[in-house]
Amino acid sequence: MNPKEFKIPSIDKSEIVYKNRLMTIKKDTLRLENHPPYDYYSVSTFPASVVVLPITREGLFLLTEEYRHPTRQVIIGCPGGYIDENEDPMEAASRELFEETGYKADSLHSLGSAYPYAGVSGQKVYYFCALGVYYAAPPLLEAAEIIRVRPASLETVNQLIDDQIPLDANFCTAFFLLKRKKFLESS
């Protein structure tokens, strides 16, 4: 892949159309050679976040059931959140695992990173697998976090996917990356 083969649009104008403490919505007026200008909206939030796919000492996945208001549904996912300023991604992963579930891990392993919302956001997500997860204390949930922990076997996880239960895309990415890293011996 050669980025020089792409014609990148120029930015004629850029303006912030909405801003609060968590996000900024920006409108850029873009122009490609021989094309009329067009508006492109993007969302800026924290520049990076983490997603943790925990596996207990007993070999169960520690999934989350979380109410996600934009979908008006409870979605199956896994712990995760923003990386604080100057925080190491692995430290953020450990912190988010504990805050959202009350569990700690014997070890954390990087699974990779991705840009899951590249069409609207430049946020980078770092994915981790937490092995040897064990209960340590009650979770430290924020008011907007409506989360319940759900242990599940690999068979149950595969069944949830097959049954098309509402899933968080970050969970799907973490599960895919986990399988690629061969932490799982069976599919």
Side-chain angles (χ1 to χ4, degrees), residues 1-92:
M1 178 171 76
N2 184 355
K4 292 181 181 181
E5 294 174 5
F6 286 89
K7 292 186 179 183
I8 306 297
S10 62
I11 302 172
D12 286 353
K13 181 180 173 186
S14 185
E15 64 181 296
I16 293 174
V17 296
Y18 176 81
K19 184 173 184 166
N20 70 19
R21 69 177 187 86
L22 291 177
M23 74 171 63
T24 300
I25 300 175
K26 186 169 75 169
K27 179 177 96 171
D28 290 333
T29 302
L30 304 179
R31 182 183 302 274
L32 275 172
E33 189 178 304
N34 301 320
H35 292 287
Y38 60 97
D39 293 336
Y40 197 100
Y41 292 84
S42 61
V43 177
S44 296
T45 179
F46 289 80
S49 65
V50 294
V51 170
V52 184
L53 188 54
I55 301 174
T56 68
R57 291 175 172 172
E58 298 76 29
L60 298 174
F61 288 92
L62 196 66
L63 306 180
T64 57
E65 296 175 321
E66 184 169 4
Y67 175 71
R68 293 298 200 171
H69 186 69
T71 69
R72 308 293 196 274
Q73 297 183 73
V74 173
I75 306 291
I76 299 294
C78 46
Y82 298 128
I83 298 174
D84 293 335
E85 189 174 339
N86 299 318
E87 186 178 29
D88 176 76
M90 191 170 286
E91 291 172 9

Side-chain angles (χ1 to χ4, degrees), residues 143-157:
E145 293 178 319
I146 304 168
I147 300 173
R148 183 172 56 199
V149 174
R150 178 182 182 167
S153 67
L154 176 59
E155 179 182 24
T156 300
V157 170

Side-chain angles (χ1 to χ4, degrees), residues 127-160:
Y127 296 90
F128 292 90
C129 174
L131 297 177
V133 171
Y134 60 94
Y135 181 78
L140 305 171
L141 298 174
E142 297 173 18
E145 293 178 319
I146 304 168
I147 300 173
R148 183 172 56 199
V149 174
R150 178 182 182 167
S153 67
L154 176 59
E155 179 182 24
T156 300
V157 170
N158 284 322
Q159 191 63 53
L160 291 169

